Amino acid sequence: MNKAVELPLSGFVGAVVSQLLTTVIAEAKLVCDFKSVSEDLATTMDELVPIVREIESILDVGELKTLEDTIGEAQVLVQECKGVKKWEIHLNSYYTRRVNKVNKKMVKFCQVQLQLIMRRDQGMYFTHTLVAMNSCVQTICKRFDDLLDVRPRVYRNLCSVPKLDNKNHVGLDLPLMMLQKKVVDDDSLGSLLVSAPPGCGKTTLVTKLCHHQAVKDKFTILYSVVSSIPNFRVIVQNLLQHNGYEAVTFENNPQAANALKDLIEELTEDGPILLVLDDVWHGAHDFLKYFQFKLPGYRVLVTSRSSDLPGFDYTYTLQPLNEKDAKDLLVRVAPLPFNASQAEYDQLLPKILKRCNGLPLLIEVIGVSLKDKSLFLWKCQVESWSEKETILDGVLQLLLPSFTTLEKHLKDCFMDMGSFLEDHKIRASVIIDIWVELYGKGTTSSSFAYMKYLHDLASKNLLKLIPLGRNEDEDGFFNELVVTQHDVLRELAIHQSESEPIMERKRLSLVIQEDNYPDDLSLSQRESARFLSISTDDLFSSSWEEMNLFQFPNVKALLLNISSSNYALPSFISTMKKLKVVIIINRGSDLATLTNLSYLSSLKNLKRIRVEKVSITFLDILQLQLGSLKKLSLFMCCFGEVSHDKIEIDVSKTLSSLQEIDIDYCYDLKKLPNWICEAVSLERLSITNCHKLSMLPEAIGSLSKLEVLRLCSCINLTELPKTTARLNNLQFLDISHCLGLRKLPLEIGRLQKLKKIYMNKCWKCELPDSVRNLENLEVKCDEETKSILWEVLEEKMINLTVQEEETEHNLNLLHMFKL
């Protein structure tokens, strides 16, 4: 038990529980900075006081041991809330969840243990006492019901320190100790630089530093990834939003610099601030000067490949691993091959380590490529290094064998990763949508093959897969898995793609800053491109004057990374007759308004559209009348107060191929347009994390081909339409975290093809009797839902399987948006 827990609990011995309650209530009411949180806790405990006093007057206080322990948790929680600074708004959601947990335990005491005590000793109570206690119990339970039904606070944790992975990082103990001493003990250092070659572990070292207890005790830490094309205004916007301010758009950098200084001055009133800028590239002098101002309690820590960045008070140069640490890491990653002698193994290790130059990234990637291979292949790999001419510089040359050993399809997929922005997290579903149309037949089932490709590349350390919430992809839902890639590996992907003969080069990536268009775009490049990626900054005017005369006749996948709040699609899109998938991702701080969507109307082969963080209406999509469209994905979009009517359009014809609709984190979505129920070919409908959605159309029963209905975390949804029972092809239903759901359709037992139901945190949802008619049903839920709803049915239903699952669904996108 840690000290924070030991201290409050130490005073509980021998104390009367009602006195403890009174003490903790008083403390909770003093927590001003988390008023709503502390009031929830104080209210629950206030209502418990009369009950506890009644019991104490009759029973041994030992009967209240469970409640006493829960009050101990409440006091610890109150003490922690006291220590949180007033501006740390992003912690509100965390403490709200913990308050709910403590409240829930108190309510459970009232619902279960207290009821048993009252039944057992009923004769000991006067009638008026029994009635009063029952009334108090009902009040507490109702208040907790109301608490659960409140919309959870959704926030953007844009500048938090990344989580540490589970690896045992070799060789960082001494650098960590030395850097920590400088950061914590030397107050004369206002700015510090950590410099090292790519792949040496700069980010890992600084992340470990930020998780060091001495650093956390002294500083409030803000963390931002910068990368090769820094956008100062966006970083300041993120810092402001991270600290509870509304999104703001700056006209220029000096304006943003003033806002940054004002913010830091405000934050340092509550203690020292450490701002970490990770991955600053050479030549970023003008960018860094905005952060390097002197202010008591403010410190900047920068990581960079370059050691000659100006203006730093101290530079720490991270050295490659020494011989011992490098060998330890390699042996751990690539142990002795089967049937190989220790002597042969020991003879090869120094040759491999010499090539890796002590760089952890190289050792891990090369080690993984050799793992489980025969010793003969190890020897071939080592010999090939000495025979091959130098093609790449330094690190990239050593990584090349990891690429050349890939199968052809994985080489293509790896090179595609270079088309995504540096240092950004990418939803796995985005990548899979592109690969399905670039390399597959476009069927939904083929997405599993491309998910395997991602796993294959991750297993070779060529990218990372990070689950955001429930790690489920068995039903083809990949929204809760993000992909990241080290910038050195991204450079390798770009280099290999650009090494292809120009007539065979399949990928074309264009970066447009302000209105500076590329001037070296050859006809061969445009004609050979299959995957076109265009990235623009927040000063881009969307004029497209210099590019609208171009054509890209063979492009199948188009990725638009935008940052401006108003964005017009280029007219040359309408000439891309082979285009199959369009991905539009807004990386700016504000919602983007899209115009010229009508250019998509002429694309008869367009099968997938995905837009992120834009203002759009369902009518915009419907009016495109894309008969070939198979999948529509809307992520963090705003629909506004626009009519949901479909006007005079025959949806069954204009969207005759639509098989999948995916709507995620669209907070202003209150109801679905009725025309969705006329998309008769629809097989999968996913509406997740849409907290204002209160109802589904009654006509949903018309979707005769629907196989998957996912409504996860739609907390205001109170019931499913009766017509849901007419979805005769429905196989999978996910209502997890639908906290307001109180009942399922009476005739749900008619859905004989329904084989899976996910319903975490749905213990308040009433199951109709007809559910017993379902056979071979697999249910995934939490412990409470299982015990209240499903345990009694396990012997009454044919082949019912109930799997208990304690997975906390991720209600915030904090790790997703480091723009």
Side-chain angles (χ1 to χ4, degrees), residues 182-322:
K182 287 290 183 182
V183 170
V184 174
D185 297 339
D186 194 341
D187 291 333
S188 68
L189 303 178
S191 58
L192 303 91
L193 173 65
V194 176
S195 173
C200 209
K202 300 182 294 296
T203 297
T204 302
L205 171 61
V206 170
T207 303
K208 286 178 71 71
L209 176 77
C210 293
H211 284 278
H212 193 286
Q213 194 58 51
V215 178
K216 292 195 296 183
D217 287 345
K218 180 169 183 175
F219 295 98
T220 295
I221 305 170
L222 304 172
Y223 192 106
S224 181
V225 179
V226 178
S227 62
S228 59
I229 306 177
N231 191 322
F232 174 66
R233 291 186 299 279
V234 170
I235 290 175
V236 176
Q237 288 166 348
N238 291 344
L239 288 168
L240 288 167
Q241 287 184 259
H242 176 84
N243 289 291
Y245 288 90
E246 293 294 326
V248 60
T249 301
F250 299 109
E251 294 181 3
N252 51 52
N253 284 350
Q255 191 182 70
N258 290 333
L260 173 64
K261 193 169 182 179
D262 290 344
L263 174 66
I264 297 299
E265 285 179 346
E266 178 185 338
L267 298 184
T268 51
E269 292 178 2
D270 290 303
I273 298 294
L274 176 64
L275 172 61
V276 179
L277 301 174
D278 187 24
D279 196 22
V280 176
W281 283 48
H282 178 75
H285 304 169
D286 292 338
F287 167 79
L288 284 173
K289 71 181 181 183
Y290 290 116
F291 296 95
Q292 293 172 318
F293 53 86
K294 299 293 184 180
L295 192 69
Y298 169 58
R299 192 162 301 181
V300 181
L301 176 62
V302 170
T303 72
S304 178
R305 302 179 188 183
S306 177
S307 60
D308 62 352
L309 293 173
F312 288 93
D313 301 322
Y314 172 78
T315 297
Y316 181 82
T317 303
L318 179 62
Q319 300 296 329
L321 298 178
N322 61 38

Side-chain angles (χ1 to χ4, degrees), residues 432-478:
I432 290 170
D433 279 348
I434 291 172
W435 287 351
V436 163
E437 299 303 339
L438 277 181
Y439 308 120
K441 297 179 180 179
T443 60
T444 304
S445 60
S446 67
S447 63
F448 291 100
Y450 299 108
M451 186 67 240
K452 182 181 182 301
Y453 292 175
L454 281 175
H455 281 293
D456 289 344
L457 291 172
S459 69
K460 300 178 187 300
N461 274 353
L462 295 174
L463 51 79
K464 286 186 179 180
L465 298 178
I466 304 172
L468 289 179
R470 177 198 294 155
N471 192 14
E472 292 282 353
D473 55 26
E474 61 190 50
D475 61 321
F477 187 66
F478 308 114

Side-chain angles (χ1 to χ4, degrees), residues 776-789:
N776 303 311
L777 183 65
E778 176 186 338
V779 177
K780 287 189 178 181
C781 60
D782 59 287
E783 178 184 6
E784 201 162 19
T785 303
K786 177 182 177 180
S787 61
I788 293 176
L789 299 183

